[in-house]
Amino acid sequence: MNPATALATVLVDELVRCGLTDVVLAPGSRSAPLALALHAESRVRLHVRVDERSASYLALGLAKRSERPVALICSSGTATANFHPAVIEAGESGVPLLVLTADRPPELRGTGANQTIDQIKLFGTATRWFAEVGVPEDRPGQVAYWRSLACRAYQRAAGAGNPGPVHLNLAFREPLIPDGDTGWCEPLDGGVSGPWVRARVAPPPIALHIPPTRRGVLVVGDGAANVRRYVAAAGMAGWPVLSEPNGGARYGDHAISTYHYLLSTPEFADTHRPDVVVTLGRPGLSRPLLSWLRRAEEHIVVAPDLDRWPDPTRSATQVAQAVEIPVASGDDSWLHAWRQADLAVRAAMDEVLDLSGTSEPRLARDLVDALPNGALLFCGSSMPIRDLDQAMRPRRGIRLMANRGASGIDGLVSTAMGAALAHNGPSYALLGDLSFLHDQNGLILGPREPRPDICYVVVNNDGGGIFSLLPQAAVRDPFERVFGTPHGVDLGYVAAATGTPYTLVGDIGDLPKALRGEGPRIVEVRTDREENVLVHARLRDAAQDAVRSYLAT
């Protein structure tokens, strides 16, 4: 057996023994040993993509939804560089990726050899760990090295409290394909049970106990862990819960879904300052919420890994791996005030949205309402997630996800598809037109590839709608070209190019019918950027008027 085949066979087998179930492959020549070993491995589900960037985001989505390491493989050269954005997102959002890049052997590096670049620590600080595996050799001791290395890589990616991407760079000398010989200088198998190295789970951390108080608030942002436990504790303590949609805590009687507008009204924000705020995950969608956090007297950030804690407002007074929220005795006037204000604002907002026609905030609200229980909704990082944050009603029964680690608009079609492949139920995605076009290659599926049940709802306002709500909109002369960026693309033709079923929704009332179907499909909803600005202004004014009327009673 040639060394390249031996390394690939052993590495794939050991990763499977560790628990690997999904692998994404972007084909190439130098990675042939890994590709052939995976094709012969019946215990994993293999996904093949022709575009390395789409492949990397597909793996990201698979790992993000399954919360298990997913392997990502490519050939040498610029193929590896195309993984970088997804590796960054995985690093920032704590998604367990096993990035296996094939490479030329050392004697070809720095010589101008074809498809040879410097791949050593290519992804910099975005990875949790890097290893240059070394060229495989036919000598005793290699199998123990490869298997222990695979175990270490898998466990570092899974990360107790700090999951993230791990990069193994694998240099292969030719020959790259099996030579028909099965002999090796030592047994290649890894034993009859379990991985080569068994990593023990650390004991749970000791929780920080908070003094009993009714005037507390639980804030839940992206990447929050143990959400249900903390929401239940906040409910027992009489605390309102302010959760971003992707925080996973916008449900139940304590969920305050209009917090963005409540806290943007100074009269409410000033008179509803808590004794303590507990933050899970990383909030980052609402500027009024972030401004309010900066003024908190006691702000406790819960972070499973004390080497990395989110504190974008630099307002944290304590950081703990776990927090104990005690039941507080006394009246419920604190929670009652939040809930009554929330109800008043919700009624005012719904009235505006019901009269707004096919507007972007209404689409976000109505889409969530229309989804079946057990559904997954993946949303874009620009306006879609913000429209959901501001317009989505509380509800149970759905899982909502987004790429908010680095908040890029790249790779979203593929991330959503990966998440759908790992989800046990129907899946949907709410994306803007620029995000959709940025990753239209994500729709390319070979005839033998697993096909998820996912409906892409694309908001098409012919450009970058978020910029119309930012100060850049005041620079009228260059705005449309350098910020608005109209593209004029007919999305129906994009769908036709890949054979993806397509529906254009002309009236928002037709949305539930348009969502029906199976497999990958596209629903386009066309909106107007200038009208969207006016709808957001009407929402803000109506909400703030409702808050002030409530406070005056």
Side-chain angles (χ1 to χ4, degrees):
M1 181 179 295
N2 66 62
T5 299
L7 169 56
T9 301
V10 169
L11 191 66
V12 168
D13 178 65
E14 189 60 39
L15 289 175
V16 172
R17 283 153 49 92
C18 286
L20 186 72
T21 59
D22 283 273
V23 180
V24 180
L25 169 70
S29 176
R30 190 57 55 164
S31 56
L34 290 167
L36 294 172
L38 284 165
H39 189 267
E41 178 54 74
S42 61
R43 294 171 294 174
V44 297
R45 185 169 56 161
L46 178 61
H47 311 266
V48 181
R49 294 296 187 273
V50 298
D51 181 329
E52 283 86 8
R53 188 175 66 182
S54 293
S56 63
Y57 278 101
L58 183 82
L60 178 80
L62 279 161
K64 192 178 184 75
R65 178 62 187 91
S66 68
E67 299 180 355
R68 297 164 61 93
V70 170
L72 174 64
I73 297 171
C74 71
S75 188
S76 63
T78 57
T80 62
N82 281 307
F83 284 174
H84 205 159
V87 173
I88 290 173
E89 175 62 32
E92 292 297 320
S93 55
V95 176
L97 280 186
L98 283 164
V99 185
L100 311 181
T101 56
D103 201 354
R104 262 53 178 174
E107 63 267 19
L108 293 181
R109 299 175 188 174
T111 66
N114 190 43
Q115 289 189 338
T116 305
I117 66 170
D118 184 1
Q119 297 176 197
I120 305 300
K121 296 189 176 181
L122 177 68
F123 306 119
T125 58
T127 59
R128 300 291 189 267
W129 185 58
F130 166 83
E132 166 73 349
V133 177
V135 179
E137 299 175 354
D138 187 358
R139 61 179 176 83
Q142 290 279 273
V143 172
Y145 166 50
W146 297 334
R147 289 191 180 275
S148 63
L149 183 76
C151 291
R152 186 184 298 272
Y154 189 92
Q155 293 300 330
R156 290 294 296 269
N162 186 26
V166 164
H167 178 200
L168 299 183
N169 196 54
L170 297 132
F172 292 116
R173 289 194 180 102
E174 296 181 351
L176 302 173
I177 61 174
D179 53 13
D181 182 6
T182 59
W184 192 254
C185 65
E186 60 181 343
L188 290 174
D189 64 88
V192 293
S193 64
W196 189 267
V197 178
R198 294 169 179 83
R200 296 187 180 274
V201 178
I206 298 175
L208 171 68
H209 285 259
I210 303 173
T213 176
R214 279 287 182 179
R215 295 180 61 88
V217 172
L218 178 66
V219 174
V220 186
D222 184 67
N226 299 317
V227 172
R228 290 188 179 277
R229 180 170 73 85
Y230 282 104
V231 170
M236 295 293 290
W239 291 12
V241 178
L242 318 185
S243 175
E244 295 182 349
N246 46 321
R250 191 172 290 197
Y251 63 87
D253 294 337
H254 291 223
I256 308 298
S257 63
T258 65
Y259 67 84
H260 173 82
Y261 293 106
L262 292 175
L263 299 180
S264 68
T265 308
E267 296 92 324
F268 185 90
D270 291 343
T271 56
H272 291 75
R273 297 179 64 179
D275 297 329
V276 61
V277 177
V278 172
T279 298
L280 309 179
R282 181 176 65 176
L285 292 175
S286 171
R287 290 187 178 183
L289 173 61
L290 295 177
S291 296
W292 185 73
L293 283 177
R294 290 189 184 97
R295 297 156 53 195
E297 293 185 11
E298 181 76 0
H299 179 195
I300 302 172
V301 172
V302 179
D305 175 31
L306 294 183
D307 290 332
R308 295 165 55 90
W309 69 81
D311 183 23
T313 59
R314 297 208 178 270
S315 58
T317 55
Q318 295 191 72
V319 179
Q321 289 179 290
V323 166
E324 190 70 34
I325 300 175
V327 176
S329 59
D331 66 78
D332 61 354
S333 58
W334 170 251
L335 177 61
H336 180 76
W338 281 88
R339 291 180 63 183
Q340 291 303 115
D342 182 55
L343 290 171
V345 173
R346 171 57 59 189
M349 289 178 58
D350 285 341
E351 184 177 353
V352 172
L353 291 176
D354 290 342
L355 298 174
S356 67
T358 308
S359 69
E360 295 178 23
R362 181 177 179 182
L363 172 63
R365 184 197 67 176
D366 291 2
L367 174 61
V368 172
D369 289 348
L371 297 184
N373 285 333
L376 168 71
L377 176 60
F378 182 88
C379 52
S381 297
S382 189
M383 280 309 300
I385 187 65
R386 289 175 171 83
D387 283 332
L388 284 167
D389 188 41
Q390 296 171 26
M392 172 186 165
R393 299 181 177 109
R395 71 156 291 183
R396 299 177 187 270
I398 64 169
R399 178 74 175 265
L400 201 146
M401 302 176 69
N403 280 354
R404 291 296 299 174
S407 303
I409 70 165
D410 43 348
L412 298 186
V413 172
S414 297
T415 308
M417 186 170 291
L421 284 164
H423 183 69
N424 183 25
S427 298
Y428 304 82
L430 179 61
L431 306 178
D433 49 330
L434 295 186
S435 297
F436 178 77
L437 292 172
H438 206 287
D439 188 30
Q440 57 187 292
N441 278 357
L443 297 172
I444 300 174
L445 283 171
R448 297 175 63 183
E449 299 310 309
R451 305 178 72 84
D453 179 12
I454 182 168
C455 178
Y456 292 95
V457 180
V458 183
V459 183
N460 186 3
N461 54 33
D462 195 28
I466 192 170
F467 294 110
S468 297
L469 299 169
L470 296 176
Q472 290 92 323
V475 190
R476 298 301 302 173
D477 185 38
F479 175 81
E480 192 65 3
R481 183 180 182 191
V482 300
F483 295 109
T485 57
H487 50 78
V489 175
D490 189 324
L491 300 188
Y493 285 110
V494 175
T498 55
T500 307
Y502 164 85
T503 303
L504 175 63
V505 172
D507 185 274
I508 193 68
D510 298 330
L511 179 65
K513 180 180 178 181
L515 295 175
R516 298 172 190 162
E518 295 180 352
R521 57 202 187 275
I522 298 167
V523 171
E524 179 185 357
V525 181
R526 294 177 182 169
T527 61
D528 180 85
R529 278 187 272 132
E530 293 189 1
E531 177 60 25
N532 186 49
V533 174
L534 297 177
V535 171
H536 277 271
R538 289 196 290 270
L539 281 172
R540 181 188 64 245
D541 293 344
Q544 292 185 345
D545 287 346
V547 176
R548 293 180 176 121
S549 296
Y550 162 74
L551 292 174
T553 58

